[in-house]
Amino acid sequence: MNIVPEVAAVVPEMKEWRHHIHAHPETAFEERATAALVAETLESFGLEVHRGLAGTGVVGVLRHGGGERAIGLRADLDALHILERSGVAYASRNQGRMHACGHDGHTSMLLGAARALSRRQKIAGTVYFIFQPAEENEGGGRVMVEEGLFERFPMRAVYGMHNWPRLPAGTFAMRAGPLMGAYDVFEIVGTGKGAHAAMAYMGKDPMMFAAHCIGALQTIVARNLHPQDAGVVTVTQVHGGDTWNVIPQEVVLRGTVRSFRREVQDLIEQRMRGIVAGVAATFDMTATIRYERRYPATVNSEAETQCAIAAASAVVGAANVDTEPTPEMGSEDFSFMLQAKPGCYVWLGAGRGPDTPNIHSPQYDFNDEVLSIGASYWVTLAEQQLAA
């Protein structure tokens, strides 16, 4: 393991920052205290600091050596609406909010890297430290891009990182091409005719619509996609009815669609609309569908992935870098940045063993043992890309 000495020296501070942020989680676009902590900390390192992009976003700027090359390093700030059950001493003090995805660790690692790079002064160029709000569900990455992130801070490439408890600590994983899926959501409203449950013949039962619709939606992936393509259609909510003996007027189905390719995304939406209309017609009722494309797929560029592999290999050794991981259908709004600039998103192994709670679990807690590994990766990547 090749931990950068200046990173090793700041590990106590990274833990302190991380535990403070963990105890005071803030959700999407509400990260005011977290953003203030980040901005003030960056200023204490002597960095130029810009606040307010996408509301609560922060960008720190480190220039050294007079070079014109520039790259961006991104971390996320927000927490989730989860009631914490981790049992740690620094557990959430904000009821119903929790850093269950490790953004507290991501923020602390990037702060640690900023401090180390400012002290080492081995770059010839500019590093932009991007602290993004609202990664969870609300698309803060999209908002930052729309508000001129890359115009205000011109960079050649942008890099992101996420801790991955399913990989052992001391490892990395990344690949060129799709790494994480596109994230779409849908809402289907089937409207029939309410009736007494004992006199079903007098109504048009939307529960029958729901039952057949849920089953039919699963045929999209099974019978419309090429076996080499990937897609997921999942109904996660069914809402309808208020009592035992009344057929309701309508039923609402909600869920998510995941895919890697735009063509697959288009096909799934098209088939969903056809199936919903067809099932509704079968039961002589009406139905509407609202389909939203939230996040595109996270697609790494080839050259920047090779840069990420080189940096990770320098820190943990090539044998501990998986360059062909199986892509996951989880999603990331870093994808909006990758649509605008070449770059690479990597997974940082953070597992303590087979029973390590996964991200988005109420029992989850970021593994402090990987703080120095992640920060060393950032420092190594920047110095390799901006070598004097």
Side-chain angles (χ1 to χ4, degrees):
M1 195 74 66
N2 185 18
I3 301 301
V4 173
E6 289 82 357
V7 168
V10 79
V11 166
E13 285 87 348
M14 283 195 287
K15 289 182 179 180
E16 183 178 338
W17 298 326
R18 211 278 289 181
H19 294 179
H20 177 84
I21 295 169
H22 188 96
H24 302 87
E26 298 172 300
T27 50
F29 295 121
E30 298 177 350
E31 311 95 334
R32 287 176 285 275
T34 307
L37 171 65
V38 166
E40 291 164 8
T41 304
L42 292 171
E43 287 171 342
S44 75
F45 304 157
L47 270 62
E48 173 187 323
V49 176
H50 300 261
R51 311 180 191 218
L53 199 65
T56 49
V58 177
V59 178
V61 183
L62 174 63
R63 295 187 179 92
H64 183 73
E68 296 184 357
R69 294 169 297 170
I71 62 169
L73 311 179
R74 173 268 201 179
D76 29 25
L77 298 170
D78 57 321
L80 284 154
H81 288 281
I82 292 178
L83 180 64
E84 181 162 1
R85 301 186 184 279
S86 68
V88 298
Y90 44 86
S92 172
R93 299 178 187 174
N94 297 339
Q95 184 79 356
R97 288 171 171 78
M98 175 190 175
H99 270 291
C101 204
H103 298 181
D104 51 344
H106 302 166
T107 295
S108 300
M109 288 188 292
L110 193 54
L111 285 174
R115 179 172 174 180
L117 283 164
S118 67
R119 290 186 171 184
R120 287 167 67 84
Q121 299 186 349
K122 291 186 177 182
I123 64 169
T126 303
V127 180
Y128 297 110
F129 300 93
I130 304 165
F131 294 86
Q132 178 212 301
E135 188 279 328
E136 301 288 356
N137 298 305
E138 301 303 325
R142 171 184 56 78
V143 178
M144 287 194 98
V145 172
E146 290 176 349
E147 292 190 2
L149 173 67
F150 296 123
E151 289 74 31
R152 292 179 59 183
F153 309 101
M155 60 194 77
R156 184 193 63 80
V158 64
Y159 295 88
M161 175 168 54
H162 204 294
N163 79 100
W164 214 247
R166 291 165 55 190
L167 296 174
T171 65
F172 282 89
M174 72 281 294
R175 64 180 295 149
L179 183 69
M180 301 186 75
Y183 165 40
D184 301 342
V185 298
F186 62 85
E187 179 182 84
I188 299 166
V189 180
T191 303
K193 180 181 179 183
H196 195 295
M199 303 174 188
Y201 63 90
M202 298 185 67
K204 295 177 182 178
D205 189 354
M207 293 301 183
M208 294 299 295
F209 165 82
H212 284 75
C213 193
I214 291 171
L217 290 175
Q218 299 311 305
T219 68
I220 298 174
V221 172
R223 289 296 178 266
N224 295 114
L225 297 190
H226 189 282
Q228 293 298 315
D229 281 325
V232 176
V233 178
T234 303
V235 177
T236 58
Q237 299 180 46
V238 180
H239 301 278
D242 298 297
T243 190
W244 288 269
N245 61 347
V246 175
I247 293 173
Q249 182 84 1
E250 68 178 30
V251 65
V252 179
L253 309 177
R254 298 190 184 103
T256 185
V257 173
R258 306 298 172 111
S259 59
F260 291 122
R261 298 197 304 118
R262 175 62 65 87
E263 295 83 358
V264 171
Q265 196 177 26
D266 293 341
L267 174 62
I268 291 175
E269 180 179 356
Q270 176 189 12
R271 289 299 301 129
M272 284 189 71
R273 293 187 181 280
I275 286 171
V276 168
V279 173
T282 298
F283 293 101
D284 192 24
M285 58 184 69
T286 61
T288 61
I289 177 170
R290 177 171 59 86
Y291 192 101
E292 296 181 8
R293 301 193 181 196
R294 292 286 181 88
Y295 296 177
T298 302
V299 182
N300 290 332
S301 53
E302 178 68 42
E304 286 65 34
T305 301
Q306 295 306 315
C307 294
I309 291 170
S313 298
V315 176
V316 299
N320 293 310
V321 179
D322 183 359
T323 60
E324 289 293 334
T326 301
E328 291 284 355
M329 282 295 187
S331 59
E332 240 296 342
D333 75 343
F334 185 67
S335 55
F336 289 103
M337 297 187 186
L338 290 177
Q339 285 189 331
K341 290 287 181 179
C344 184
Y345 188 77
V346 307
W347 293 333
L348 168 66
R352 300 180 177 91
D355 297 327
T356 303
N358 201 12
I359 53 176
H360 291 216
S361 162
Q363 286 78 34
Y364 166 89
D365 182 40
F366 183 90
N367 184 356
D368 283 341
E369 298 304 312
V370 304
L371 288 168
S372 61
I373 300 173
S376 292
Y377 164 78
W378 283 138
V379 171
T380 304
L381 177 68
E383 291 183 349
Q384 288 180 347
Q385 293 297 289
L386 306 173

